[in-house]
Amino acid sequence: MAKYTRGTVTAFAPFDARADAEALRKAMKGLGTDEETVLNILTTRNNAQRQEIASAFKTLFGRDLVDDLKSELTGKFETLMVSLMRPAYIFDAHALKHAIKGAGTNEKVLTEILASRTPAEVQNIKQVYLQEYEASLEDKITGETSGHFQRLLVVLLQANRDPDVGVDEALVEQDAQVLFRAGELKWGTDEEKFITILGTRSVSHLRRVFDKYMTISGFQIEETIDRETSGDLEKLLLAVVKCIRSVPAYFAETLYYSMKGAGTDDDTLIRVMVSRSEIDLLDIRREFRKNFAKSLYQMIQKDTSGDYRKALLLLCGGDDD
């Protein structure tokens, strides 16, 4: 796995798993719960340390920390604390499992995870999914999706994107021309060409293709996708393009729209804040400030409340204004 250093949550020092376990037990014992202690401990320890705390908690008290959190906390705050406790390696597989179970599929989650994770991360997700749920992620996804949307998900699930080694300018030109002919120049759209090129070429190659496409057509590739495709396929193609350009910018936009307007998409807010907190949340904050003229911190402050807000702000790790 790539070593990420742009997270807001890092290993806490000096760390004492037993002391943390004891403090958490005390905070949840008897009448009422001391939420402040719970959120202060769980947001400032990294995921590996939280697993050690859970293990110490079971050793000392014979109790399951996650079960206790579920019985003592409620609502969005509970969801956030339980999400923080989920082992990092299983986080994405768990989110995907819940996106494809029961009535209706949550295409938003499939799109967000499969468009933004690296090939190595996708391989890892598939392995974990198989181990934990004794089922093939690809089979589950193909069973719940259809059409070109399904095809592109399957391409991304192969995790066979070309490695980033030098860019062949002749191929850049060729791909840009193929995309132009498959979309703007065609009556109807040849979606398959978009799926193959956007799903398999290397990141540095595609960045050059997008520039070349603009030169040839006079359009950003996003404008063409917007005009030529629709529905879930359009959303997935756009997410792939945005992630090729910049993963942190993609997540900044995802967070912005989870809070913009009436109501908050708390599931998305929690999923992104937790899953990126040890990876690139500092970069996401920077992109957020640059693109939306306000800080992520301020938007969370305005859009949430109570212990849930306190915990999200601690994960956010600071204001950029």
Side-chain angles (χ1 to χ4, degrees), residues 92-279:
D92 287 341
H94 180 272
L96 289 168
K97 169 133 176 84
H98 283 266
I100 43 189
K101 88 176 214 209
T105 305
N106 188 335
E107 291 83 5
K108 183 186 263 183
V109 175
L110 298 185
T111 294
E112 178 195 302
I113 292 177
L114 293 175
S116 65
R117 302 314 192 247
T118 64
E121 286 166 340
V122 173
Q123 291 291 13
N124 188 50
I125 290 167
K126 289 195 295 188
Q127 268 173 314
V128 170
Y129 197 95
L130 193 57
Q131 280 160 7
E132 296 290 327
Y133 308 120
E134 295 176 348
S136 147
L137 177 57
E138 187 181 317
D139 292 349
K140 288 290 179 196
I141 286 178
T142 49
E144 295 293 331
T145 56
S146 61
H148 290 108
F149 176 61
Q150 179 200 74
R151 301 272 175 266
L152 180 50
L153 288 172
V154 171
V155 168
L156 295 170
L157 276 168
Q158 302 319 299
N160 276 332
R161 191 176 286 290
D162 298 337
D164 265 318
V165 283
V167 173
D168 173 350
E169 287 300 332
L171 186 60
V172 166
E173 173 82 38
Q174 185 189 317
D175 280 351
Q177 292 285 359
V178 166
L179 290 173
F180 186 42
R181 288 198 296 274
E184 297 290 347
L185 285 188
K186 196 175 187 314
W187 178 251
T189 309
D190 183 352
E191 290 92 351
E192 200 159 90
K193 297 279 193 290
F194 281 84
I195 288 169
T196 301
I197 291 174
L198 293 177
T200 62
R201 301 286 197 254
S202 77
V203 171
S204 46
H205 173 85
L206 284 171
R207 285 178 184 161
R208 291 285 304 116
V209 170
F210 300 160
D211 291 343
K212 181 63 79 177
Y213 185 86
M214 180 77 192
T215 310
I216 293 170
S217 69
F219 299 118
Q220 293 284 18
I221 188 84
E222 290 91 335
E223 296 174 80
T224 295
I225 290 169
D226 192 32
R227 261 199 303 279
E228 299 287 331
T229 61
S230 62
D232 294 325
L233 174 66
E234 178 191 344
K235 292 189 186 110
L236 181 55
L237 284 167
L238 286 173
V240 169
V241 168
K242 285 168 184 170
C243 289
I244 293 292
R245 290 194 190 275
S246 163
V247 169
Y250 169 72
F251 280 117
E253 186 180 323
T254 304
L255 285 169
Y256 179 75
Y257 285 107
S258 75
M259 292 182 278
K260 186 185 186 298
T264 303
D265 176 356
D266 292 292
D267 287 342
T268 297
L269 180 54
I270 291 169
R271 189 175 56 252
V272 175
M273 292 297 288
V274 173
S275 66
R276 309 312 288 186
S277 60
E278 293 183 41
I279 295 178

Side-chain angles (χ1 to χ4, degrees), residues 12-33:
F12 183 84
F15 173 61
D16 181 343
R18 291 195 134 198
D20 284 348
E22 281 164 356
L24 286 169
R25 176 71 183 126
K26 190 173 165 214
M28 293 189 282
K29 204 174 168 177
L31 280 176
T33 303

